[in-house]
Amino acid sequence: MNLEPIDIVIVGLYAFALFALALWVSREPAGHQKNTEDYFLAGRSLPWWAIGASLIASNISAEQIIGQSGQGFVVGMAIAAYEWQAAIVLLVVAKWFLPIFLKRGIYTMPQYLDQRYGHNVKTLMSVYWIFLYTAVNLTTVLWLGGLAVQSLTGWPVLTSMIALAAFATLYSLYGGLKAVALTDIIQVVILIFGGLVITWLALNQVSNGAGAFAGLGRLWEEMPGHFEMILSPEHPSYKDLPGIWTLLGGLWVLHFSYWGFNQYIIQRA
């Protein structure tokens, strides 16, 4: 399936509008020189709802839209097991971690390590995370996004990855967090609304046009296992998902690492 010309025009206009908005919100008064606080914290000028929308939009990427959705097709709702503890961890971070970061003026993890353990530990973590993000996280997200663009446009995956990276770099490097956060507001609305519309249309297709609720009923009847959040050991996908003991044990470490100490989460916090 390839995009029609009208589809390409719409996507192009959307990209242009996002970039124009990023440039507009990032402008500074005459004579003002941007500092690190402007870049990393948007000058502390964002309202709570913009920060919340940016948190959600930053957390949703090709990993979820392509990867997690694909796994959901294979194993069902159990793929959401990874997210069970996120709300609890966010409350703990807001109550006990965030006050420390605010008191010490910390908005990057290397800052905290520098204050707590010294410059050498800070440098070690900085180099490690730069390598991890560029070689693992960013590469994976761009590759998944490239696959999506390729399936719609026919472009080579590498070309699609370069285009996605260049567009994101243009407005994020120039505008900093303010540009990213305010464009995130638009994108999170489109992501949620678009996801709901796609779900409704897909369920309608499953029911052969009888309606989304009829499609959901058909899925419930024919694939009841896909609605189980905790898989039994006999399930063929059990080995690929965390069991109940993982949920109660080691997965907490990953959640605190992500929601408590991840760079872009801490910036918004």
Side-chain angles (χ1 to χ4, degrees):
M1 180 183 70
N2 290 327
L3 294 178
E4 297 293 331
I6 184 63
D7 301 316
I8 296 175
V9 170
I10 291 172
V11 172
L13 289 174
Y14 172 68
F16 176 80
L18 276 184
F19 186 65
L21 176 64
L23 295 181
W24 183 73
V25 301
S26 303
R27 70 196 192 287
E28 299 290 345
H32 177 76
Q33 295 295 322
K34 281 187 177 181
N35 54 33
T36 54
E37 186 171 297
D38 292 323
Y39 186 81
F40 284 108
L41 302 183
R44 301 184 187 274
S45 61
L46 296 176
W48 64 267
W49 50 268
I51 297 169
S54 186
L55 275 171
I56 297 172
S58 299
N59 183 49
I60 302 173
S61 69
E63 293 172 275
Q64 282 74 36
I65 296 175
I66 307 297
Q68 206 166 23
S69 296
Q71 279 296 94
F73 175 79
V74 175
V75 304
M77 294 287 289
I79 192 63
Y82 289 103
E83 310 296 338
W84 271 70
Q85 297 138 320
I88 301 173
V89 170
L90 277 167
L91 292 175
V92 173
V93 169
K95 175 65 176 176
W96 285 287
F97 291 16
L98 190 54
I100 297 174
F101 299 153
L102 292 172
K103 180 180 179 181
R104 294 180 173 272
I106 292 166
Y107 46 90
T108 71
M109 277 301 101
Q111 267 186 294
Y112 176 75
L113 291 178
D114 190 30
Q115 294 181 19
R116 184 70 177 82
Y117 298 107
H119 185 72
N120 290 336
V121 176
K122 165 197 169 183
T123 303
L124 180 64
M125 187 211 178
S126 300
V127 173
Y128 170 75
W129 277 108
I130 288 173
F131 173 78
L132 185 68
Y133 269 97
T134 54
V136 181
N137 297 54
L138 189 58
T139 307
T140 302
V141 170
L142 285 175
W143 178 69
L144 290 170
L147 287 179
V149 173
Q150 181 196 41
S151 68
L152 294 172
T153 64
W155 294 358
V157 174
L158 183 59
T159 302
S160 302
M161 292 172 64
I162 292 172
L164 289 172
F167 177 72
T169 301
L170 276 174
Y171 76 81
S172 60
L173 283 183
Y174 177 80
L177 182 60
K178 182 184 289 186
V180 173
L182 292 178
T183 53
D184 277 349
I185 297 171
I186 298 173
Q187 297 192 74
V188 77
V189 172
I190 293 175
L191 283 169
I192 294 175
F193 179 73
L196 291 173
V197 170
I198 290 171
T199 302
W200 186 273
L201 294 175
L203 289 173
N204 185 59
Q205 286 289 98
V206 168
S207 67
N208 296 317
F213 291 108
L216 184 62
R218 181 180 178 185
L219 289 179
W220 186 274
E221 291 175 4
E222 298 185 14
M223 309 183 74
H226 272 54
F227 293 88
E228 296 177 3
M229 289 296 292
I230 303 295
L231 301 181
S232 65
E234 293 77 30
H235 195 285
S237 297
Y238 180 80
K239 65 181 185 302
D240 300 324
L241 293 170
I244 188 66
W245 295 113
T246 306
L247 290 173
L248 298 176
L251 198 58
W252 289 101
V253 177
L254 296 178
H255 272 296
F256 276 110
S257 172
Y258 181 82
W259 292 110
F261 302 103
N262 186 296
Q263 175 57 44
Y264 64 78
I265 298 296
I266 289 302
Q267 274 184 252
R268 287 150 182 77

